[in-house]
């Protein structure tokens, strides 16, 4: 009987303040969507780091007048280095062919470049990209080397941009969450005020604090769960419509977002939405009803 009463009061309370309930659900769904997007971004940046750092090469460009003996000695030195996973020698002609492929959409630019314009080089993969500094110290003293470039430095700039986007998403989510908390608290206060006589009677007849608070807390939890479901729906639809279709070309740069990661957001958002809503409602009632 008590459970039936509490559930009935929850439905009545949600319908009685339907306008504020809808506003609370919408605000909660937007904040949870932003939270889910930022978590997905965080997970995706980690996946991209694992993928791209595994493909990183160290480019060693040679001086123009490098002699064959010097090049051969450097090649042997690289192969015997314990930090090196594999190395490949690239001649000027091979560099030109790769250049033509990279800039095939700019024929005038390609025609203005010849083999002598490009340096001879070695493309080196390290067993652990984090050992770049140690590797650079091992080979820097060689007279045949003109310049050493670590691709990780270039990728780090890209990841810094992603990290900034991630931080902005978290900030927006925090602001929206704060707005949702205010709405939850305000809605619960209005609901409690509208039932102040019933609450007073229940306190007089000895009803427990939890029995009095339960309908109000559950109202907030239901609103939070609905907001979480809507937020998850927005994330899933956004992934299907944007990343898998309209922005599919970005997968040449961004690694695909696994469906499993998106599905994982449902319990996460539901948990956050329910706990935050319940906590806010309970704290509001403690101050407002003094129970």
């Amino acid at each position: 009987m008590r459970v039936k009463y509490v559930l009935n009061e929850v439905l009545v309370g949600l319908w009685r303040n339907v306008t504020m309930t809808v506003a609370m659900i919408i605000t909660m769904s937007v904040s949870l969507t932003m939270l889910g997007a930022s978590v997905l971004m965080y997970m995706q940046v980690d996946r991209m780091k694992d993928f791209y750092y595994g493909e990183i090469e160290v480019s060693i460009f040679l001086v123009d007048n490098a002699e064959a003996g010097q090049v051969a000695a450097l090649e042997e030195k690289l192969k015997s280095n314990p930090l090196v996973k594999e190395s490949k020698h690239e001649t000027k002609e091979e560099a030109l062919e790769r250049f033509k492929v990279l800039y095939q959409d700019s024929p005038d630019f390609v025609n203005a470049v010849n083999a002598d314009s490009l340096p001879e080089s070695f493309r080196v993969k390290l067993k652990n990209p984090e050992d770049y500094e140690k590797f650079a110290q091992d080979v820097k003293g060689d007279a045949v080397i003109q310049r050493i470039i670590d691709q990780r430095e270039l990728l780090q700039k890209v990841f810094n941009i992603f990290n900034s986007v991630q931080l902005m998403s978290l900030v927006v989510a925090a602001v929206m969450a704060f707005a949702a908390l205010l709405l939850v608290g305000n809605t619960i206060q209005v609901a409690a005020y509208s039932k102040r006589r019933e609450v007073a009677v229940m306190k007089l007849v000895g009803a427990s604090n939890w029995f009095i608070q339960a309908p109000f807390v559950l109202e907030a939890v239901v609103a939070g769960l609905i907001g979480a479901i809507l937020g998850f729906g927005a994330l899933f639809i956004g992934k299907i419509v944007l990343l898998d279709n309209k922005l599919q070309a970005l997968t040449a740069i961004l690694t695909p977002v696994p469906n499993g990661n998106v599905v994982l957001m449902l319990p996460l958002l539901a948990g956050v939405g329910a706990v935050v809503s319940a906590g806010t409602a309970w704290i509001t009632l403690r101050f407002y009803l003094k129970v």
Side-chain angles (χ1 to χ4, degrees):
M1 185 67 182
R2 286 190 171 188
V3 174
K4 184 178 179 181
Y5 167 78
V6 170
L7 294 178
N8 182 67
E9 287 299 304
V10 170
L11 294 176
V12 171
L14 289 172
W15 181 252
R16 182 188 294 118
N17 304 301
V18 62
T19 304
M20 296 190 68
T21 300
V22 170
M24 179 171 60
I25 290 173
I26 292 176
T27 308
M28 186 69 73
S29 66
V30 172
S31 62
L32 290 175
T33 299
M34 294 301 300
L35 175 63
S38 62
V39 172
L40 280 175
M41 173 67 76
Y42 181 86
M43 296 169 67
Q44 197 61 19
V45 168
D46 280 349
R47 290 185 77 246
M48 289 173 62
K49 284 181 178 179
D50 291 339
F51 175 78
Y52 283 113
Y53 282 172
E55 299 297 317
I56 278 178
E57 291 181 340
V58 177
S59 299
I60 302 177
F61 296 104
L62 309 183
V63 296
D64 289 335
N65 57 349
E67 298 178 359
Q70 292 176 308
V71 175
L74 178 59
E75 184 172 14
E76 186 61 32
K77 183 178 181 180
L78 293 175
K79 288 182 178 179
S80 62
N81 192 310
L83 303 177
V84 174
K85 181 179 180 180
E86 61 180 72
S87 63
K88 179 185 176 184
H89 178 224
E90 185 176 77
T91 64
K92 290 176 175 288
E93 290 72 21
E94 290 171 337
L96 179 60
E97 291 304 316
R98 192 158 66 90
F99 181 84
K100 288 179 179 179
V101 173
L102 290 174
Y103 294 96
Q104 58 184 335
D105 295 331
S106 305
D108 293 335
F109 184 37
V110 171
N111 293 332
V113 176
N114 55 45
D116 290 333
S117 305
L118 301 173
E120 192 174 358
S121 66
F122 281 95
R123 307 288 172 172
V124 180
K125 277 191 177 181
L126 301 179
K127 294 177 181 177
N128 182 2
E130 300 294 333
D131 289 334
Y132 166 73
E133 293 294 339
K134 186 176 179 181
F135 169 76
Q137 291 298 325
D138 289 345
V139 299
K140 265 183 179 177
D142 202 306
V144 76
I145 296 177
Q146 181 184 52
R147 188 181 180 193
I148 303 176
I149 295 180
D150 181 16
Q151 292 179 349
R152 190 179 55 173
E153 295 179 2
L154 303 177
L155 287 175
Q156 192 59 47
K157 295 179 181 179
V158 176
F159 287 130
N160 286 341
I161 295 175
F162 286 137
N163 290 335
S164 298
V165 173
Q166 177 191 20
L167 180 60
M168 289 177 61
S169 298
L170 285 174
V171 170
V172 173
V175 172
M176 295 303 299
F178 181 70
L181 293 181
L182 293 179
L183 267 175
V184 170
N186 194 40
T187 303
I188 296 302
Q189 283 191 29
V190 171
Y193 181 79
S194 66
K195 295 180 64 177
R196 61 191 183 281
R197 291 187 177 86
E198 296 176 38
V199 171
V201 171
M202 285 191 288
K203 291 172 68 175
L204 287 174
V205 298
S208 65
N209 291 344
W210 280 109
F211 184 75
I212 296 173
Q213 294 174 357
F216 302 107
V217 173
L218 287 178
E219 283 181 35
V221 170
V222 170
L225 289 175
I226 295 174
I229 293 172
L230 293 177
F232 169 75
L235 287 176
F236 195 81
I237 292 173
K239 195 262 184 184
I240 299 297
V241 174
L242 295 178
L243 295 182
D244 292 349
N245 289 284
K246 295 184 180 298
L247 301 179
Q248 193 174 19
L250 286 178
T251 54
I253 303 174
L254 306 176
T255 54
V257 178
N259 287 330
N261 285 0
V262 181
V263 173
L264 187 63
M265 292 301 104
L266 179 57
L268 174 65
L269 298 184
V272 172
V275 170
V276 169
S277 299
T280 304
W282 183 78
I283 292 172
T284 301
L285 290 170
R286 294 289 294 179
F287 283 98
Y288 188 76
L289 298 181
K290 301 295 192 296
V291 297

